[in-house]
Amino acid sequence: MLLADTKRILLKLSGEVLMGDQQFGIDTDFVAKLAGEVKAAKETGLEICLVIGGGNIFRGMAGAAKGMDRAQADYMGMLATVMNALAMQSALEKLGVETRVQSAIQMDQVCEPVIRRRAERHLEKGRVVIFAAGVGAPYFTTDSGAALRAAEMGCDALFKGTSVDGVYNADPKKDASATRYDTIDYDTVLAENLKVMDASAVALCRDNDIPIVVFSIRERGNLARVLAGDGIQTIVRTGANRSAS
Ligand code: UDP
């Protein structure tokens, strides 16, 4: 086990991983593969809260850059996360994993509202709870939503599955000499503005002592490997001396 005594995790998936190899939108085959990863993690006995981004469909900042009102564009981004949550729900249920979607923007015909005690009960019953619409307010991201739900639901760690395998000192897609950290502390991430999650999410995790594990969700079986301590990842936590491999 990567982190001792981990019983409940929050898994955050960037919207862009739902695109698979497409340039936009939802690749249902790839979502089915992701659902398989979640199922395998659940079968290890973990309780799982899921948060999925919306960047594969719409990001508020992109809309604002094209002249849209920022708050309005952010609402569209939040709606995109609900679409992704429904796609993941469908894929998980096809694999026999029971789920509930709870949205921070109330949408009674489609899913439940966020109710912590109800989510708690779902987890006790072995359901995966997918939290949609981030924190439910514009000017935030789903990273902040993930940190908030991780704190609210008492998760032992926040696993961020994305398209890079950890935190680097420079962008590995642009700089071939970039090195990946195995561990690093929250304050260094914030002071050096390293690309992990946005600052409000990192600060919320720091203040609530929730380790952040950044790993790639693109390779098959990687979530299980990382959870078992056999994978490649960066752990952001208090007092971690910066170490790179
Ligand atoms: N968003 C928001 N408030 C939130 C969460 C999300 O306004 O609490 C909007 C914001 O516009 C963001 C978009 O939803 O750009 C999609 O989320 P995000 O960019 O976090 O998705 P990811 O990068 O993880 O795919």
Side-chain angles (χ1 to χ4, degrees), residues 12 14-15 53-55 58-60 74 77-78 134-142:
K12 154 84 207 284
S14 315
F58 197 83
R59 277 208 178 89
D74 279 341
M78 284 186 264
V135 304
Y139 298 94
F140 284 94
T141 66
T142 47

Side-chain angles (χ1 to χ4, degrees), residues 12-17 51-62 70-71 73-81 84 104 133-145 160 198:
K12 154 84 207 284
L13 301 179
S14 315
E16 63 176 26
V17 296
V51 166
I52 308 176
N56 54 321
I57 300 173
F58 197 83
R59 277 208 178 89
M61 292 278 262
R70 169 73 194 268
D74 279 341
Y75 286 123
M76 292 173 66
M78 284 186 264
L79 296 180
T81 72
N84 284 338
V135 304
Y139 298 94
F140 284 94
T141 66
T142 47
D143 283 350
S144 296
K160 174 161 170 156
D198 47 65

Side-chain angles (χ1 to χ4, degrees), residues 7-27:
K7 293 191 182 66
R8 179 179 293 179
I9 62 163
L10 188 136
L11 175 62
K12 154 84 207 284
L13 301 179
S14 315
E16 63 176 26
V17 296
L18 273 66
M19 296 192 293
D21 293 324
Q22 298 175 180
Q23 296 300 309
F24 174 82
I26 299 173
D27 176 344

Side-chain angles (χ1 to χ4, degrees), residues 4-239:
D5 299 327
T6 304
K7 293 191 182 66
R8 179 179 293 179
I9 62 163
L10 188 136
L11 175 62
K12 154 84 207 284
L13 301 179
S14 315
E16 63 176 26
V17 296
L18 273 66
M19 296 192 293
D21 293 324
Q22 298 175 180
Q23 296 300 309
F24 174 82
I26 299 173
D27 176 344
T28 43
D29 290 341
F30 201 76
V31 176
K33 286 188 187 138
L34 292 171
E37 302 276 314
V38 175
K39 182 180 182 185
K42 211 187 147 287
E43 283 170 350
T44 67
L46 285 172
E47 292 178 342
I48 300 184
C49 302
L50 253 185
V51 166
I52 308 176
N56 54 321
I57 300 173
F58 197 83
R59 277 208 178 89
M61 292 278 262
K66 289 187 183 147
M68 279 188 75
D69 176 70
R70 169 73 194 268
Q72 184 85 339
D74 279 341
Y75 286 123
M76 292 173 66
M78 284 186 264
L79 296 180
T81 72
V82 180
M83 291 172 65
N84 284 338
L86 295 179
M88 181 55 81
Q89 176 171 47
S90 176
L92 282 168
E93 291 193 337
K94 265 202 162 155
L95 298 179
V97 179
E98 274 210 57
T99 62
R100 292 291 185 273
V101 174
Q102 293 201 343
S103 171
I105 293 178
Q106 209 153 326
M107 243 180 262
D108 293 347
Q109 281 78 0
V110 175
C111 56
E112 296 179 2
V114 176
I115 300 174
R116 186 173 68 90
R117 285 171 185 278
R118 204 158 168 183
E120 194 65 52
R121 188 86 187 102
H122 292 322
L123 292 170
E124 278 168 20
K125 287 189 172 173
R127 296 171 182 147
V128 170
V129 182
I130 308 172
F131 291 101
V135 304
Y139 298 94
F140 284 94
T141 66
T142 47
D143 283 350
S144 296
L148 171 65
R149 300 300 169 218
E152 196 178 7
M153 298 308 299
C155 294
D156 300 306
L158 192 166
F159 282 73
K160 174 161 170 156
T162 182
S163 37
V164 281
D165 59 4
V167 182
Y168 284 75
N169 62 349
D171 185 347
K173 287 179 183 157
K174 293 183 188 146
D175 182 349
S177 67
T179 49
R180 187 182 51 76
Y181 298 116
D182 288 332
T183 56
I184 193 161
D185 67 21
Y186 304 102
D187 288 332
T188 309
V189 166
L190 291 172
E192 297 184 10
N193 202 15
L194 297 175
K195 300 279 170 271
V196 181
M197 301 183 105
D198 47 65
S200 55
V202 174
L204 196 54
C205 287
R206 178 192 61 192
D207 296 349
N208 292 286
D209 211 4
I210 301 168
I212 305 169
V213 180
V214 183
F215 70 102
S216 167
I217 189 81
R218 284 194 179 270
E219 296 93 58
R220 207 185 183 123
N222 211 27
L223 173 59
R225 276 196 293 280
V226 167
L227 284 166
D230 298 327
I232 295 174
Q233 71 282 311
T234 299
I235 306 177
V236 186
R237 65 192 327 175
T238 307

